[in-house]
């Protein structure tokens, strides 16, 4: 099942688009099966779950953090993850920078955009992104590589399209700033029900859970 799902998704993936298997609540064994089927990147929402899966799967895949990262988890997170997709505050940037320096690492991050402007959700508001970026580029042990968004949840993925378009426009705008030392390359958006729309609108990372592993229990 997992193997078949991964094969189907990978076979239909346009060139230049990377698949992240969103693995929250899945067992290390399920994650290993996805890896063996060809998944190159695992997305984890929880540091502890990732540590457990990492023990089994290790460096066979890259690990992306895609949940809300609490500052007291950053020290552990920088040991496991190859990218943090959910940078959403300067306090968090400061902590990632500090802990990455202690690990002798430079951590790639994406800025999480609250594209729906929803006050109860995490992420930088679209209109604040440029200023946020200017303030966050100064950290030496953290490298901003692009943007990530969830967007509001919809039954019909067409309703997500305007939020993907807005995030792509932001992506193009910050790319065009050509800030020295900053290479804006990744745009992570789209999940099981919306990834096709997201790819049409310029996503080059998609994060898929249900369509790989089945419904969450
Ligand atoms: C769970 C999750 C996904 C994947 O959701 P599915 O609908 O199961 O594909 C993608 N991104 C994030 C941040 C998630 O938490």
């Amino acid at each position: 099942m997992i193997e078949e799902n991964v094969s189907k998704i990978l076979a239909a993936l346009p060139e230049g688009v990377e698949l992240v298997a969103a693995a929250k609540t899945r067992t290390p064994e399920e994650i290993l099966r996805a890896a063996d089927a060809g998944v190159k990147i695992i997305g984890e929402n929880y540091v502890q779950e990732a540590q457990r899966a990492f023990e089994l799967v290790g460096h066979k895949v890259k690990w992306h953090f895609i949940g809300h990262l609490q500052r007291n988890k950053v020290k552990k997170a920088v040991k496991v993850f190859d990218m943090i997709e959910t940078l959403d505050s300067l306090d968090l940037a400061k902590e990632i920078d500090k802990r990455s320096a202690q690990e002798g690492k430079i951590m790639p991050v994406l800025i999480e955009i609250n594209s729906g402007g929803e006050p109860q959700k995490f992420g930088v508001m679209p209109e604040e992104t440029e200023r946020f970026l200017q303030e966050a580029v100064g950290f030496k042990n953290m490298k901003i590589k692009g943007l990530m968004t969830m967007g509001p949840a919809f039954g019909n993925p067409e309703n997500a399209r305007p939020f993907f378009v807005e995030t792509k426009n932001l992506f193009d705008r910050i790319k065009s700033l050509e800030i020295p030392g900053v290479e804006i390359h990744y745009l992570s958006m789209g999940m099981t029900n919306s990834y096709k729309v997201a790819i049409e609108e310029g996503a080059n990372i998609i994060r898929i859970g249900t369509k790989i592993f089945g419904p969450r229990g």
Side-chain angles (χ1 to χ4, degrees):
M1 193 57 177
I2 291 175
E3 290 75 8
E4 226 178 282
N5 295 341
V6 169
S7 302
K8 269 193 211 152
I9 294 167
L10 288 178
L13 215 56
E15 206 175 307
V17 179
E18 295 181 47
L19 170 66
V20 171
K24 60 180 174 278
T25 78
R26 315 300 179 172
T27 65
E29 289 73 22
E30 288 174 298
I31 295 168
L32 181 61
R33 282 172 60 193
D36 286 337
V39 165
K40 299 267 189 298
I41 309 170
I42 301 295
E44 290 277 6
N45 295 61
Y46 306 103
V47 176
Q48 230 170 333
E49 260 185 39
Q51 285 177 311
R52 223 158 35 93
F54 185 82
E55 280 176 30
L56 182 68
V57 183
H59 292 292
K60 197 174 264 195
V61 292
K62 299 281 187 198
W63 299 84
H64 284 198
F65 190 81
I66 62 173
H68 175 63
L69 187 53
Q70 292 169 302
R71 281 198 332 168
N72 62 3
K73 299 283 164 61
V74 172
K75 187 178 174 191
K76 284 179 177 155
V78 299
K79 291 183 203 286
V80 175
F81 290 100
D82 301 290
M83 180 183 281
I84 294 168
E85 293 200 15
T86 47
L87 177 66
D88 60 3
S89 76
L90 286 173
D91 276 352
L92 182 60
K94 197 172 162 185
E95 188 67 13
I96 291 171
D97 182 63
K98 175 179 156 189
R99 298 302 185 179
S100 299
Q102 287 172 354
E103 278 295 305
K105 265 191 178 180
I106 295 175
M107 179 61 71
V109 304
L110 306 182
I111 302 173
E112 180 178 4
I113 305 301
N114 185 348
S115 56
E118 298 168 282
Q120 77 280 14
K121 290 203 180 158
F122 294 109
V124 175
M125 293 295 173
E127 64 275 14
E128 289 163 8
T129 306
E130 198 174 317
R131 194 182 51 178
F132 181 88
L133 174 70
Q134 298 285 6
E135 287 173 0
V137 291
F139 293 107
K140 297 257 175 313
N141 287 80
M142 186 192 83
K143 220 167 176 47
I144 296 172
K145 306 286 274 182
L147 303 180
M148 175 272 203
T149 197
M150 294 276 285
F154 294 109
N156 178 355
E158 274 308 318
N159 294 331
R161 191 183 295 274
F163 301 95
F164 294 155
V165 169
E166 181 181 18
T167 308
K168 173 62 158 65
N169 288 341
L170 259 182
F171 174 84
D172 289 340
R173 185 136 49 85
I174 63 167
K175 208 174 150 95
S176 74
L177 295 175
E178 296 185 359
I179 299 171
V182 178
E183 249 179 80
I184 300 294
H185 179 71
Y186 292 111
L187 181 57
S188 173
M189 48 188 202
M191 322 200 303
T192 290
N193 97 331
S194 60
Y195 77 93
K196 287 178 184 161
V197 172
I199 290 171
E200 285 169 11
E201 298 305 341
N204 54 20
I205 296 179
I206 55 171
R207 308 176 310 269
I208 297 186
T210 309
K211 195 169 174 162
I212 291 175
F213 299 105
R216 278 181 291 274

